[in-house]
Amino acid sequence: MARSTTTHRHTHDCSGPLGLLAGLTMIAGRGPSARLVADLAAVGPADHVVDVGCGPGAAAREAARRGARVTAVDPSPQMLRLARLLTRGDRRRSVELVAASAEDLTLPDGTASVVWALASAHHWHDVAAGLREAHRVLAPAGRLLVVERLTRPRGLFAHHALTHEGAGTLARAVADAGFVDVAVDEHRAGRRHLVVVRGRRA
């Protein structure tokens, strides 16, 4: 991920049948990652979670299961449609699905206690702008978590993942966006080896 450019490493189109297929493939295996990010964020009933690039909504539903209020954001109508179909019962009352991008979350300042991006930051058009938006919508002491698959340079998932070097670059960008206590951790979630870049709004 670039530190201060407006480009990203990979683009996608989640419209039409291909978008539906992509969304269906994203459902499988997301449970462990969703539980991990909710654990790391220590999500509870007092939280308002903003899930950036929510996709089919697994992490949003996990936060809602723990009692949080959730704003699940995705620029793809197809993904939001799929998330809406999968989010039922009590979860539907706790999860608001919003068509928006990481760079323009369309939320008021300081209204969230947690912002996370689970396997979505590699799609952002402008990483620095997305991080600034996360900082803007977080209340003081709010937590940011950016979670991506960890890979080797030129690895199998290179376009959908971060290397150790990329995680370090992202951590510097998180600090540049105004976050404190920035850290990089590695975790296992099911079969996935994940890297987590986290920070806190002062």
Side-chain angles (χ1 to χ4, degrees):
M1 288 187 180
R3 183 177 177 184
S4 59
T5 69
T6 58
T7 60
H8 63 164
R9 295 175 301 151
H10 181 67
T11 59
H12 66 163
D13 179 6
C14 289
S15 61
L18 288 179
L20 178 60
L21 179 61
L24 291 172
T25 61
M26 288 168 64
I27 296 171
R30 280 295 176 100
S33 298
R35 289 189 292 273
L36 173 68
V37 71
D39 286 343
L40 293 175
V43 168
D47 284 309
H48 175 200
V49 176
V50 178
D51 183 356
V52 183
C54 65
R61 288 187 294 276
E62 180 62 26
R65 188 183 70 80
R66 299 180 186 214
R69 180 167 64 93
V70 186
T71 302
V73 173
D74 203 289
S76 165
Q78 193 80 2
M79 288 295 179
L80 293 174
R81 191 174 302 117
L82 184 57
R84 197 167 286 112
L85 287 172
L86 295 170
T87 305
R88 300 174 180 172
D90 292 342
R91 309 289 184 269
R92 175 165 286 187
R93 289 192 290 273
S94 300
V95 177
E96 180 184 10
L97 295 160
V98 177
S101 67
E103 298 84 2
D104 184 11
L105 293 173
T106 68
L107 295 169
D109 296 356
T111 54
S113 57
V114 177
V115 173
W116 67 42
L118 178 56
S120 71
H122 61 270
H123 292 303
W124 296 1
H125 291 286
D126 187 332
V127 172
L131 293 173
R132 288 194 300 270
E133 269 291 272
H135 188 273
R136 181 186 66 77
V137 303
L138 278 169
R143 294 96 77 194
L144 170 73
L145 296 95
V146 181
V147 184
E148 293 282 349
R149 189 190 295 264
L150 184 65
T151 190
R152 299 181 303 276
R154 301 184 181 87
L156 180 61
F157 300 103
H159 295 297
H160 296 268
L162 282 178
T163 62
H164 285 104
E165 181 181 2
T169 299
L170 178 59
R172 290 190 291 274
V174 169
D176 288 346
F179 290 94
V180 299
D181 300 334
V182 178
V184 179
D185 306 315
E186 296 178 28
H187 298 271
R188 286 281 181 182
R191 297 181 178 181
R192 296 181 178 181
H193 190 186
L194 302 176
V195 60
V196 181
V197 179
R198 64 172 87 198
R200 179 176 60 84
R201 177 166 181 173

